[in-house]
Amino acid sequence: MPKLLLIILDGVPYRNWRRLFGNLEGWVQSGEARVWKMRSVLPSTSASCYASIHTGVPPQVHHIWDNADIRRLDLPDVFSEATKAGLKTGAVTHSYWSEFFNRAPFDVVRDIEYDEPEGPITHGRFHTMHGYGHDNQMTPADYDLFGTLTRLAEVKGIDYGILHTCTLDSMGHRFGHDCTEMDTACFKLDGVLAPFIHRWRQAGYEVIVTADHGQSDRGHHGGRGEDQQDVALYYFGAGEGPAPDVVIDELQLAPAILTRLGVKVPATMTAGSFLT
Ligand SMILES: [Zn+2]
């Protein structure tokens, strides 16, 4: 069965993906990747989207209404089902993902990194963005995060891994989108990510690159509309997908990942995989 890495670049709207990520678009043009539009759940709020991306159920079911009151979810998710099937999982993400899918509250000394063979997250490497604010971007360097995920792939042999970074979401909240700062930030991230995608593909991983939600031109999200909800989803792999003009529902991502990993999709994930 394929191994798969899911890369979530937080808060990147569809229009930024398609005009500013030249390496990803180059792979679409060369036929090595496919791209679709994906629409986030409502609210298009980060924590609500994270919970939906990995459980495949909407906020109206998992009850994560905003970025507050983070807790352990009591629903099957990608980590729990993959671990049950005997696969090794990895996470290089914001600490919310550890709280939702392993344990809460997040204890920075206990939980900043762990290796727990029983799962559900076999190898976790987290960051908190503690001290984050409009004028104080506390995201780690994306290069470091990509390096950490690559170590989990090459040293720990994970079958499934997720990487999530808030760099571009933070840039959007600070600068908005019609500005040279955002042009440069997307250009840099595309250039940093590309060699890692090449390396992961060489190592036999399928790769999905997408965002949790978009942002308005003012750098807002949480509500409805194509600017706040619509993102691109790039897929590198051998699975069959829908026609290019089909808009993927964010709830289809969890069942798609499990389907590609050869893991049984739980009954709670009703949206249906977009990949076979
Ligand atoms: Zn977000």
Side-chain angles (χ1 to χ4, degrees), residues 10-11 45-46 50 169 212-213 221:
D10 201 296
T45 303
S46 289
Y50 306 162
D169 182 75
D212 53 342
H213 52 74
H221 60 92

Side-chain angles (χ1 to χ4, degrees), residues 27 32 193-205 207 236:
W27 276 315
E32 201 165 327
L193 175 58
F196 287 101
I197 290 179
H198 179 70
R199 185 162 170 165
W200 301 329
R201 293 290 289 144
Q202 296 291 110
Y205 285 91
V207 179
F236 300 76

Side-chain angles (χ1 to χ4, degrees), residues 130-158:
H130 189 83
Y132 162 79
H134 178 272
D135 298 319
N136 196 38
Q137 179 155 343
M138 298 298 280
T139 52
D142 298 302
Y143 184 69
D144 300 355
L145 299 178
F146 297 142
T148 301
L149 181 68
T150 306
R151 276 195 71 75
L152 295 189
E154 296 181 3
V155 179
K156 304 295 187 185
I158 55 172

Side-chain angles (χ1 to χ4, degrees), residues 15 59 63 68 83 185:
R15 63 192 182 288
H63 298 170
T83 300

Side-chain angles (χ1 to χ4, degrees), residues 8-12 44-50 67 164-166 169-170 173 211-215 221:
I8 304 278
L9 306 187
D10 201 296
V12 181
S44 56
T45 303
S46 289
S48 310
C49 292
Y50 306 162
N67 290 324
H164 159 252
T165 166
C166 280
D169 182 75
S170 298
H173 286 305
D212 53 342
H213 52 74
Q215 279 194 353
H221 60 92

